[in-house]
Amino acid sequence: MIFGLGRKKDKSSNETSGGETKSTANTKSTSLNGKSAPAEGNGGDERKLSASQLRRKADLSHIAFKTTSDLDPSLEPIGQERALRALEFGASMPAAGYNVFALSSDPSGTAIAVRQQLEKLAQKAPAPDDWVYVQNFKDANAPKSMRLPAGRALAFAEAMAEVVDELSSTIPAAFNSEDYQARARALESEHSGAHDAQLQALSHKAAERGIALLRTPMGFTFAPMLEGKVVKPEAFEAMPPGMQADVRSNIETLQLELEALLLEAPRLEKAKRRQLRQFNKEVALHAIDAALVDIVSQFGDVDAVSSYLSEVREDLADHASLFLTDNAAGAETRAGDQFADLTRAASLRRYMVNVVVAQKTTKGAPVVEAINPNYGSLMGRSEHLPQLGAFVTDFMLIKPGTIHKANGGYLVVDARKLLSQPFAWEALKRSLQSGELHLEHPTENAGAVQIQSIDPEPIPLEVKVVLIGDRGIYTQLSQSDPEFQQLFKVQADFSNAVPRDEEMVRAFAELIAGLAQKNALAPFERDAVAALVEHASRLANDQHKLVVAASQIEDLTSEAGYWALQDDRETTTRADVRKAIAEKIERIDRVRDLDQESFERGLIEVETEGEKVGQVNGLSVLQLGELSFGRPNRITARTRFGAGRIVDIEREAKLSGPLHAKGVMILWSYLAGTFAKDKPLALSASLVFEQSYGGIDGDSASSAELYALISALSGVQIRQGIAITGSVDQFGEVQAVGGINEKIEGFFDVCNSRGLNGDQGVIIPKANVQHLMLREDIVEAVEEGRFSVFAVDTIEDGVELLTGVAAGSRGTDGTFPKGTVFAKAAETLATYSHRANNPELRGEAKAANGKGAAV
Amino acid sequence: MIGHVASTHEGSGRVVLCLRAGRPASDAAFDAAARIAKAFQSDIEGLFVEERQLLDLTAYGFVKETSLSGGITRPISTPDIERQFEAACRAMHQRLKEIGGRLETRVLASTVRSDPVPALAQTCAAAGPWNVIVRGEAFQPQDGLALGEILASVRDCTGLVTVGPKAGQREGRIVAAIEDPERMTGLVRTAERLAAGEPESAAGVTALLIGDDHQHLQWLDEQARLAFPAGQVPRIVAAPPTRGEPGVAAEAIRQLGPGFVVAQYGGVTVPYDDLSALTVGLECPLFLVR
């Protein structure tokens, strides 16, 4: 993608006196190499910039140091007082919603600065509490959250594990003891004996009455008995009727007693079980109380823990049998195995403690940066394990999110990363709104797999969130999310560049000292710091600014330090800084090399010598990720008689953006205003970026296009050794553009590869002079007269430099001085106008316009 | 008799598992039958006894049956009782079949309508002298005499195996409860045969000496060491003096955690009448050697 960058000019005036710098018309006014008039380094031409104007060298005279080890090292952000005040305000403001959005074009660097600032604030704050999740003995699906004073959660978890370990030994021992066995047997025999005795008694009672109690497959029955044997029915019939009646009566009575006795049996059994359970509980409690003594004395001061331990005591007593199963022993030997841990779910796992937040110290609030703010890692999650075809979980599988760790302190999040993660932003907002941390499963019902979920008790949330993002994200959130402004009421605007004044340069030097110390680099020499200052200006594309993006500066200092180390130097020198810059460029510069090669091999035609009508070298910048470089583009113009239409071929081919189209319309307006105030502009023209196959946008080529058109109209040749950049307004004022350094360097490299001849150079807008931070090899070339950079205010200045002929200004009689470029152009247009006024020739004009856009 | 079989390694005989229609069969009894059959490489014959007297009762119009829960009392009829017999018999056959499959041994089943003891006598007499009877139902405290009646009436058996209401334990040493030096060798040899049948459980044999007092125990100990050749003396443990109290013997056995107990009928360990002590403490099958 090729594009130029437009920039508005600060200057408000829009009138120029194009004749102030002109020489005699129709003569070469300027020797480009300055050899013919070498005064003041610019040949006496104010438009030609001196070498010192092309790169502002760093002046460190106000700082006394030899190397950075003489300076007070600092890692403080530079020139961000406004943003830091806002950050401190937001971080300290107790009211809800005063979270901070840090605006920055360098999120990673800003995150460092934000963390530093927050850490200062955090040091003064108390450490927040620890948090754990424990089993809810009444509802296992709703684990309980529990707060402990800072730094005590891990000890509590360990103490609980020790309790379980101890009980794993002591409970089985208690239940295997002879004492327990004897008492349990006694209890058992007491009850079963009672029932058996009752049956036995009934049997004896029946026997005394000559009746036998018999078992049937399904129950009991009574029968007449004689001498221990059931009486045969025929023998019974032979008995006297009175005796038979007695037997019947007795059997009926006994039957009723038997029913009552059997109906009583379940109650007795129940009573027996209850008594046995109570006894078991007593035995278990004896062991449990002994095991809990230490933990109660250690954590009894924490109300929540004290209450929990009471519940644990009761639950342990009710579930002592868990310690008597194989699980208990197995759990001990397989500790650490997650799946084995899960198998403890039905047994000892219920007494474990899941520490979700444990403060390392008891002083200071946490400052946590969410490195990968996806939903799970940010908000926490409950993990699942497969078991019998389903995915199950419990309180021990709750994993805390970054926000849990930041609770009670500060959470720093990269807004772009956050917004790119599904559910994360919405979940963060919900938590901030509710002031609670809920564990949710946004996707659990989406799949076909059966997943068991839990609903842990929420944890109160007291956190200050600092989102870091660029202005685009801020604007987008402000416009599209009504809750954003309510939750992020504070804006901390971090500037990427700061003024390059003495104070900032000193701070910058101290930052270098700080980075050198932090990263154990060889101290930076004074000249190396100067090189870094100049590079920071170059990064800002401004002689009066410094880029202070921490990540960029830190990278460069580290790399320079690396090269110093490679050369066994004890200090880091300017050469190391230059090498670091050069190496970095080299690493990413392959595409630029290929581009340069295409110029050298003539694949892309750009003329850097000679003169030509209707052809000029424009400049553009290619941005490919981190790589950004300039390159020349041949712009050509053809004119002919027509009906006031221009064919912008880029636009027609849909290869240009709206800013470029606007630039073309403006230059057409300039032409009309300059040459056709009182007659129709009977001109048809076409403009094209030759060999441009990608899209272009921006208006920085509009002055170049205008020069090409004027040349085509006037027939005056343009020097091909000069490349041009700059936008133009309707009055011919040349305006500042972006990427000025890359553009100059791009053309210089093409010329240099072909051999500099002293006539080559670049015309830039005067307003861009302040942005010049050119490479040192270009500065040297200019100093030696092998290359030139011109700054112009007006199109007329540029015409003169490009053609060597005065542009010409309209006199009081409405005409341009004879022999000037504009006079020749006006003559051509007058011819066209004359033809336009001739009805016989109109049809020709119409045909010539083709599909050109009307202007 | 069984001691003779064991010592001569004849390896024949039959395990007769006696199941009474009116008594619920214990799982432990089936398990004990299987273990004995395995130890002696014998067949198992399931003898299901449909007690005649229960059928006789149906002729009484006024006799009713009360369910085990006590919730239902209803008249009993011959078809009802026969249906119950049939269902119980089918269940027994099924369980026997499973045991046979597991042990890869021959399992027979027969049903007789009779009283239990005559039925056992008849079955054992038909199969030859080397029978071991396994009683299907768990014994009750008052069942001492019933055990004696079987041993007395069924001549063609070498021993009687019975289980208590708490039976379930099958891992552990084989304990021979020695009260009489005359019976010592037979009991220990039987125990050794049982232990040999369960090599996977590494069950050894413990001779538990049971005597009234220390002097008696001392004497038993001496006799035991004399009875076995050097190097073949089993592990010998003396119980506390019983002073004639069956509970002491039962507790001594329980503390050893045996997988099987081999004992004589009619002593302190297994009294003739009251088996209360064993119903509480015995958790494994009891082999009463004739």
Side-chain angles (χ1 to χ4, degrees), chain B residues 62-115:
Chain B
F62 57 87
V63 170
K64 293 177 180 171
E65 180 186 43
T66 300
S67 65
L68 293 170
S69 67
I72 301 169
T73 297
R74 62 194 166 210
I76 53 176
S77 64
T78 303
D80 283 346
I81 288 291
E82 285 181 335
R83 245 194 322 275
Q84 290 179 16
F85 282 167
E86 192 181 333
C89 186
R90 211 168 30 241
M92 178 201 73
H93 282 172
Q94 183 60 36
R95 288 167 80 176
L96 282 172
K97 200 172 159 188
E98 288 169 9
I99 290 174
R102 198 169 69 237
L103 296 182
E104 295 180 350
T105 191
R106 198 160 67 115
V107 172
L108 309 169
S110 58
T111 303
V112 294
R113 184 165 293 180
S114 174
D115 289 328

Side-chain angles (χ1 to χ4, degrees), chain A residues 178 185 188-189 200 214-223 230-233 236 248 251 255 259 262-263, chain B residues 21-24 53-54 56-57 59-60 62-70 73 84 142 166 251 254 280:
Chain A
E178 274 305 314
R185 271 198 312 280
E188 177 81 16
S189 110
Q200 192 75 18
L214 303 173
R215 279 292 303 267
T216 67
M218 303 297 286
F220 294 93
T221 188
F222 289 101
V230 172
V231 178
K232 295 273 185 189
F236 183 75
R248 285 183 188 181
I251 285 180
Q255 200 92 45
E259 285 171 19
L262 293 175
L263 286 170
Chain B
R23 302 292 173 96
Q53 63 180 2
L54 292 179
D56 291 345
L57 291 179
Y60 293 107
F62 57 87
V63 170
K64 293 177 180 171
E65 180 186 43
T66 300
S67 65
L68 293 170
S69 67
T73 297
Q84 290 179 16
Q142 70 278 13
K166 286 192 166 182
E251 178 60 16
R254 194 194 65 74
V280 173

Side-chain angles (χ1 to χ4, degrees), chain A residues 18-257:
Chain A
E20 278 181 14
T21 57
K22 298 182 191 72
S23 304
T24 311
N26 205 21
T27 58
K28 300 283 181 186
S29 63
T30 310
S31 170
L32 290 179
N33 62 15
K35 285 175 186 169
S36 57
E40 300 287 322
N42 60 8
D45 186 348
E46 287 181 358
R47 293 168 301 193
K48 186 172 181 180
L49 301 178
S50 65
S52 62
Q53 289 175 286
L54 304 183
R55 179 182 178 91
R56 185 182 170 196
K57 297 212 168 191
D59 177 10
L60 305 181
S61 57
H62 61 291
I63 314 170
F65 76 107
K66 279 187 179 175
T67 70
T68 49
S69 56
D70 301 331
L71 297 170
D72 292 332
S74 167
L75 293 172
E76 294 293 313
I78 300 173
Q80 309 293 349
E81 287 72 20
R82 184 206 311 257
L84 293 177
R85 272 203 310 277
L87 179 65
E88 185 171 349
F89 169 72
S92 311
M93 182 75 177
Y98 280 84
N99 296 294
V100 181
F101 191 100
L103 281 154
S104 169
S105 55
D106 173 32
S108 59
T110 302
I112 298 170
V114 166
R115 276 209 318 269
Q116 285 174 352
Q117 191 67 10
L118 292 176
E119 275 159 8
K120 281 187 208 163
L121 297 171
Q123 283 174 1
K124 300 172 196 161
D129 291 328
D130 287 353
W131 283 93
V132 300
Y133 271 109
V134 292
Q135 172 89 353
N136 182 344
F137 297 114
K138 291 175 184 158
D139 180 1
N141 285 327
K144 292 172 77 168
S145 61
M146 201 159 68
R147 183 198 296 262
L148 284 95
R152 296 183 69 184
L154 287 173
F156 176 61
E158 279 175 26
M160 274 306 292
E162 281 172 18
V163 166
V164 170
D165 282 348
E166 184 177 337
L167 289 175
S168 296
S169 305
T170 56
I171 286 183
F175 282 90
N176 285 329
S177 70
E178 274 305 314
D179 183 40
Y180 169 80
Q181 296 288 343
R183 288 175 65 187
R185 271 198 312 280
L187 207 58
E188 177 81 16
S189 110
E190 181 185 325
H191 283 275
S192 34
H195 182 63
D196 290 343
Q198 284 171 335
L199 269 178
Q200 192 75 18
L202 185 63
S203 179
H204 284 148
K205 185 176 175 181
E208 285 168 5
R209 298 179 188 180
I211 293 166
L213 173 62
L214 303 173
R215 279 292 303 267
T216 67
M218 303 297 286
F220 294 93
T221 188
F222 289 101
M225 181 175 71
L226 189 63
E227 294 174 355
K229 299 219 171 186
V230 172
V231 178
K232 295 273 185 189
E234 49 274 23
F236 183 75
E237 290 299 327
M239 288 167 67
M243 193 177 287
Q244 286 185 30
D246 283 349
V247 168
R248 285 183 188 181
S249 168
N250 280 330
I251 285 180
E252 279 172 17
T253 306
L254 290 166
Q255 200 92 45
L256 291 173
E257 285 184 39

Side-chain angles (χ1 to χ4, degrees), chain A residues 446-679:
Chain A
V449 180
Q450 187 187 353
I451 295 178
Q452 178 201 355
S453 65
I454 50 175
D455 183 20
E457 184 181 3
I459 291 175
L461 178 66
E462 293 172 34
V463 71
K464 285 287 182 182
V465 178
V466 180
L467 278 184
I468 302 174
D470 59 32
R471 199 168 296 279
I473 293 177
Y474 182 82
T475 307
Q476 187 188 346
L477 284 171
S478 299
Q479 291 171 351
S480 62
D481 190 337
E483 293 164 339
F484 171 68
Q485 294 286 7
Q486 294 168 6
L487 292 170
F488 290 84
K489 293 179 178 171
V490 181
Q491 183 189 123
D493 198 344
F494 283 82
S495 169
N496 188 39
V498 299
R500 183 177 159 183
D501 56 23
E502 288 190 353
E503 185 189 350
M504 291 301 161
V505 169
R506 173 184 290 279
F508 187 85
E510 288 170 351
L511 173 65
I512 304 302
L515 291 171
Q517 187 182 62
K518 175 189 166 193
N519 298 318
L521 307 173
F524 282 66
E525 290 183 357
R526 186 183 183 84
D527 215 20
V529 173
L532 285 166
V533 169
E534 288 162 19
H535 184 66
S537 269
R538 170 57 198 263
L539 290 174
N541 267 319
D542 195 324
Q543 293 182 348
H544 304 291
K545 298 273 185 188
L546 291 172
V547 159
V548 288
S551 56
Q552 283 175 288
I553 302 302
E554 184 162 8
D555 287 351
L556 184 58
T557 53
S558 297
E559 289 166 27
Y562 168 82
W563 292 115
L565 188 67
Q566 292 300 303
D567 288 350
D568 284 335
R569 268 196 289 281
E570 291 181 359
T571 55
T572 307
T573 65
R574 174 181 274 269
D576 295 321
V577 174
R578 290 181 67 171
K579 185 170 177 64
I581 296 168
E583 288 285 339
K584 179 165 188 175
I585 291 171
E586 172 72 18
R587 288 196 294 272
I588 61 173
D589 218 20
R590 195 179 66 84
V591 175
R592 196 188 69 90
D593 284 349
L594 288 173
D595 197 53
Q596 278 294 316
E597 188 183 317
S598 62
F599 287 107
E600 289 166 20
R601 297 173 65 185
L603 301 175
I604 299 176
E605 287 186 25
V606 167
E607 294 181 36
T608 53
E609 288 180 337
E611 296 177 332
K612 210 156 190 176
V613 173
Q615 176 174 301
V616 70
N617 287 324
L619 294 169
S620 60
V621 174
L622 253 76
Q623 183 86 46
L624 300 168
E626 200 181 358
L627 175 66
S628 156
F629 61 89
R631 69 199 297 269
N633 289 90
R634 193 159 51 94
I635 300 171
T636 59
R638 301 289 300 270
T639 59
R640 57 202 171 279
F641 167 62
R645 286 179 180 274
I646 186 167
V647 179
D648 176 4
I649 290 177
E650 306 301 323
R651 182 179 165 195
E652 292 297 316
K654 294 188 173 56
L655 285 171
S656 69
L659 290 178
H660 180 261
K662 180 185 172 189
V664 172
M665 291 178 199
I666 289 171
L667 71 86
W668 191 259
S669 175
Y670 169 80
L671 278 179
T674 304
F675 297 107
K677 277 186 175 174
D678 50 0
K679 52 195 171 208

Side-chain angles (χ1 to χ4, degrees), chain A residues 149-431:
Chain A
R152 296 183 69 184
L154 287 173
F156 176 61
E158 279 175 26
M160 274 306 292
E162 281 172 18
V163 166
V164 170
D165 282 348
E166 184 177 337
L167 289 175
S168 296
S169 305
T170 56
I171 286 183
F175 282 90
N176 285 329
S177 70
E178 274 305 314
D179 183 40
Y180 169 80
Q181 296 288 343
R183 288 175 65 187
R185 271 198 312 280
L187 207 58
E188 177 81 16
S189 110
E190 181 185 325
H191 283 275
S192 34
H195 182 63
D196 290 343
Q198 284 171 335
L199 269 178
Q200 192 75 18
L202 185 63
S203 179
H204 284 148
K205 185 176 175 181
E208 285 168 5
R209 298 179 188 180
I211 293 166
L213 173 62
L214 303 173
R215 279 292 303 267
T216 67
M218 303 297 286
F220 294 93
T221 188
F222 289 101
M225 181 175 71
L226 189 63
E227 294 174 355
K229 299 219 171 186
V230 172
V231 178
K232 295 273 185 189
E234 49 274 23
F236 183 75
E237 290 299 327
M239 288 167 67
M243 193 177 287
Q244 286 185 30
D246 283 349
V247 168
R248 285 183 188 181
S249 168
N250 280 330
I251 285 180
E252 279 172 17
T253 306
L254 290 166
Q255 200 92 45
L256 291 173
E257 285 184 39
L258 176 68
E259 285 171 19
L261 194 152
L262 293 175
L263 286 170
E264 179 74 356
R267 194 191 61 76
L268 289 173
E269 181 64 25
K270 200 172 171 182
K272 180 188 81 176
R273 282 202 303 270
R274 192 168 50 242
Q275 209 169 338
L276 194 61
R277 203 162 43 238
Q278 184 57 35
F279 172 58
N280 285 343
K281 195 168 177 177
E282 283 171 20
V283 172
L285 276 174
H286 187 69
I288 291 163
D289 286 342
L292 288 175
V293 164
D294 287 348
I295 196 170
V296 167
S297 68
Q298 200 179 344
F299 294 96
D301 59 318
V302 185
D303 289 345
V305 174
S306 183
S307 167
Y308 168 70
L309 289 175
S310 298
E311 292 174 21
V312 166
R313 180 180 182 271
E314 282 302 308
D315 193 77
L316 279 167
D318 290 338
H319 297 86
S321 59
L322 298 176
F323 289 86
L324 305 175
T325 62
D326 289 342
N327 270 353
E332 192 178 343
T333 56
R334 291 183 294 176
D337 177 348
Q338 195 178 27
F339 189 79
D341 276 352
L342 192 70
T343 65
R344 301 172 82 172
S347 54
L348 312 184
R349 194 174 163 87
R350 61 200 281 117
Y351 306 113
M352 296 175 82
V353 175
N354 183 2
V355 179
V356 289
V357 179
Q359 305 299 340
K360 289 175 185 163
T361 63
T362 54
K363 285 183 182 173
V367 178
V368 182
E369 184 176 357
I371 303 298
N372 176 23
N374 63 47
Y375 179 87
S377 67
L378 182 68
M379 304 306 298
R381 61 189 181 279
S382 64
E383 293 185 339
H384 290 75
L385 290 174
Q387 202 170 68
L388 301 174
F391 285 90
V392 298
T393 185
D394 69 0
F395 73 98
M396 286 301 290
L397 291 176
I398 295 172
K399 303 293 173 193
T402 318
I403 197 167
H404 288 85
K405 294 169 187 165
N407 196 8
Y410 308 96
L411 175 66
V412 181
V413 191
D414 185 317
R416 188 173 295 281
K417 290 180 186 171
L418 177 70
L419 293 172
S420 68
Q421 296 292 341
F423 312 114
W425 169 239
E426 288 301 322
L428 178 64
K429 280 194 302 178
R430 274 200 300 279
S431 294

